[in-house]
């Protein structure tokens, strides 16, 4: 059980983290051009848009739950803040790229990576500048920028939201020999969540799967000290993983970037590789009605950040989607602007 000083230290660390990234967000908003390009209709949303106090209350609730999970021993406390030199380098890199992102947003350029060469190797839906990101998913610079960009977007709460996926894993792995357990992290990106998993379960047989070669390289660099982790360059639509081989599959922030037809394929692949009784843990954005006070914010997101499949994601019935693959819905837990959904493979 963590003591009072540990709790104080946690609070100071998270407060500093939020202040750092919120400062970036405020500076970014001052740098940005108008919300929509000249000649476009102003953005109009039907749902409620949360005021700052509502968002602060949501962050506080997230951090309180995170601390309770740590104190209960469900997972270890997060690592400390980045060293000042590394934080400053990441910040300079972020702001240097921010103007290019904004120029791309105002000119609605989101297909710069749609080239004949890449079309031969990757699905059409993947060849976009999601978030108007420089290089899409295909440059080393994009992979180095990504974690900072996400933390700025979520004002320093992204890692905390991801950590909530460790709760169902702790429940599923309790009392079991981790050396005999297998976990696959689908669309592992830069390996940030997989690093958290393996820090908590160092003897777990864990693997990551990622389609972008630049992000695979970044993940392998991050995870090189984790000897038991493999990172594969592969498409989630056709995972190079044996049937019924995984005790758990995790998937963080992927499904909102997939077209509806592809969501079905990836869900079926997750079900295929899971062992009977195994769990799938999905972390992704809130959906319409999860937190009604946030609905307007969810409506705005695809307009401001080029998320072409986000509208259909908001209405997707994930319980029904996974039920068709043989996975039962175990429940959903909100985590500020995200939520954790858990599914279990039915035992025949």
């Amino acid at each position: 059980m963590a003591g009072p000083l540990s709790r104080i230290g946690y609070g100071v660390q998270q407060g500093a983290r939020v202040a750092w990234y919120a400062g970036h967000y405020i500076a970014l908003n001052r740098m940005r051009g108008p919300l929509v390009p000249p000649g476009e209709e102003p953005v109009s949303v039907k749902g409620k848009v949360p005021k700052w106090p509502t968002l602060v209350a949501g962050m506080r609730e997230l951090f309180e739950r995170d601390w309770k999970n740590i104190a209960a021993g469900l997972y270890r406390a997060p690592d400390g803040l980045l060293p000042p030199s590394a934080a400053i380098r990441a910040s300079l890199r972020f702001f240097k790229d921010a103007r290019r992102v904004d120029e791309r947003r105002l000119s609605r350029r989101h297909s710069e990576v749609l080239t004949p060469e890449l079309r031969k190797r990757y699905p059409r839906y993947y060849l976009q500048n999601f978030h108007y990101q420089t290089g899409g998913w295909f440059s080393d610079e994009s992979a180095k920028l990504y974690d900072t960009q996400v933390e700025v977007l979520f004002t320093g709460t992204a890692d905390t939201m991801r950590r909530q996926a460790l709760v169902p894993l702790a429940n599923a792995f309790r009392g079991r020999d981790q050396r005999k357990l297998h976990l696959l992290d689908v669309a592992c990106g830069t390996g940030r969540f997989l690093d958290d998993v393996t820090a908590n379960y160092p003897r777990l047989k864990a693997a990551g799967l990622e389609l972008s070669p630049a992000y695979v390289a970044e993940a392998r660099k991050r995870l090189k000290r984790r000897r038991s982790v493999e990172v594969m360059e592969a498409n989630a639509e056709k995972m190079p993983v044996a049937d019924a081989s995984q005790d758990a599959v995790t998937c963080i922030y992927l499904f909102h970037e997939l077209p509806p037809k592809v969501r079905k394929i990836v869900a079926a692949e997750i079900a295929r590789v899971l062992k009977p009784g195994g769990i799938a843990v999905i972390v992704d954005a809130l959906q319409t009605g999860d937190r009604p006070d946030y609905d307007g914010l969810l409506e705005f997101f695809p307009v401001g950040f080029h998320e072409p499949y986000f509208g259909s994601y908001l209405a997707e019935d994930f319980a029904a989607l996974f039920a068709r693959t043989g996975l039962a819905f175990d429940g959903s837990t909100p985590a500020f602007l995200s939520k954790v959904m858990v599914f279990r493979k039915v035992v025949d």
Side-chain angles (χ1 to χ4, degrees):
M1 182 68 70
L5 289 177
S6 296
R7 179 164 190 164
I8 291 170
Y10 171 87
V12 169
Q13 181 189 96
Q14 298 308 315
R17 185 182 181 83
V18 168
W20 174 254
Y21 288 111
H24 283 63
Y25 191 88
I26 292 167
L28 181 63
N29 277 339
R30 290 177 178 173
M31 291 170 54
R32 279 176 174 164
L35 288 177
V36 296
E40 275 195 22
E41 290 292 323
V43 177
S44 177
V45 297
K46 297 177 182 178
K48 292 182 179 180
V49 178
K51 304 287 187 183
W52 182 242
T54 300
L55 293 172
V56 170
M59 285 190 275
R60 186 180 297 115
E61 176 188 318
L62 174 69
F63 289 130
E64 286 176 355
R65 185 189 312 156
D66 191 44
W67 171 253
K68 287 178 180 177
N69 291 338
I70 293 166
L74 295 179
Y75 48 80
R76 65 192 286 274
D79 292 333
L81 302 173
L82 281 174
S85 58
I88 290 170
R89 284 196 303 271
S91 180
L92 292 174
R93 185 183 291 122
F94 170 80
F95 283 115
K96 182 180 178 181
D97 186 64
R99 292 193 183 278
R100 289 186 289 172
V101 172
D102 200 47
E103 289 169 2
R104 196 173 290 109
R105 177 181 66 83
L106 288 173
S107 60
R108 295 292 188 249
R109 301 196 320 272
H110 51 69
S111 298
E112 292 178 348
V113 294
L114 181 59
T115 66
E117 294 78 14
L118 290 176
R119 287 203 68 170
K120 295 175 183 177
R121 298 178 56 193
Y122 299 98
R124 170 64 183 84
Y125 69 83
Y126 193 67
L127 299 176
Q128 303 188 53
N129 296 77
F130 287 95
H131 323 140
Y132 295 110
Q133 187 161 312
T134 304
W137 303 124
F138 295 97
S139 72
D140 294 339
E141 186 67 8
S142 166
K144 288 180 172 61
L145 280 165
Y146 178 77
D147 290 325
T148 302
Q149 290 171 327
V150 172
E151 287 293 357
V152 171
L153 175 64
F154 292 125
T155 55
T157 65
D159 274 349
T160 313
M161 291 190 291
R162 289 188 190 102
R163 272 199 300 277
Q164 306 318 298
L166 295 171
V167 175
L169 292 181
N171 293 332
F173 293 167
R174 185 175 292 115
R176 302 170 70 183
D177 186 346
Q178 61 181 267
R179 295 171 299 179
K180 298 179 180 178
L181 298 175
H182 293 77
L183 177 142
L184 175 68
D185 189 30
V186 176
C188 68
T190 64
R192 201 165 181 93
F193 177 70
L194 197 51
D195 196 22
D196 251 355
V197 171
T198 49
N200 282 275
Y201 302 99
R203 296 185 178 183
L204 179 72
K205 294 178 181 177
L209 182 149
E210 170 59 45
L211 185 53
S212 162
Y215 282 66
V216 166
E218 193 69 15
R220 287 173 177 165
K221 181 180 176 182
R222 181 191 299 277
L223 296 163
K224 63 183 179 182
R225 67 189 185 281
R226 311 290 189 195
R227 296 180 181 177
S228 63
V229 181
E230 175 190 9
V231 180
M232 300 173 279
E233 184 181 330
N235 192 332
E237 296 176 63
K238 192 173 182 181
M239 303 179 194
V241 178
D243 294 359
S245 60
Q246 304 299 309
D247 296 278
V249 173
T250 55
C251 186
I252 316 292
Y253 299 136
L254 171 67
F255 276 88
H256 74 268
E257 293 189 342
L258 299 177
K261 290 182 180 179
V262 179
R263 282 184 210 131
K264 295 176 183 178
I265 296 170
V266 174
E269 277 292 276
I270 290 173
R272 177 184 67 79
V273 303
L274 269 178
K275 296 177 182 179
I279 63 167
V281 183
I282 312 296
V283 178
D284 218 307
L286 294 173
Q287 293 178 280
T288 303
D290 286 335
R291 286 191 165 178
D293 285 351
Y294 292 12
D295 281 353
L297 194 61
L298 298 177
E299 288 180 62
F300 171 77
F301 185 66
V303 179
F305 295 93
H306 184 61
E307 289 283 5
Y309 311 114
F310 198 77
S312 65
Y313 166 84
L314 292 177
E316 184 73 72
D317 184 342
F318 279 92
L321 175 68
F322 278 94
R324 288 191 288 269
T325 72
L327 301 190
F329 182 49
D330 265 11
S332 174
T333 305
F336 187 35
L337 297 170
S338 302
K339 64 177 178 180
V340 182
M341 296 178 282
V342 182
F343 303 88
R344 189 173 304 275
K345 188 166 184 177
V346 177
V347 179
D348 294 333

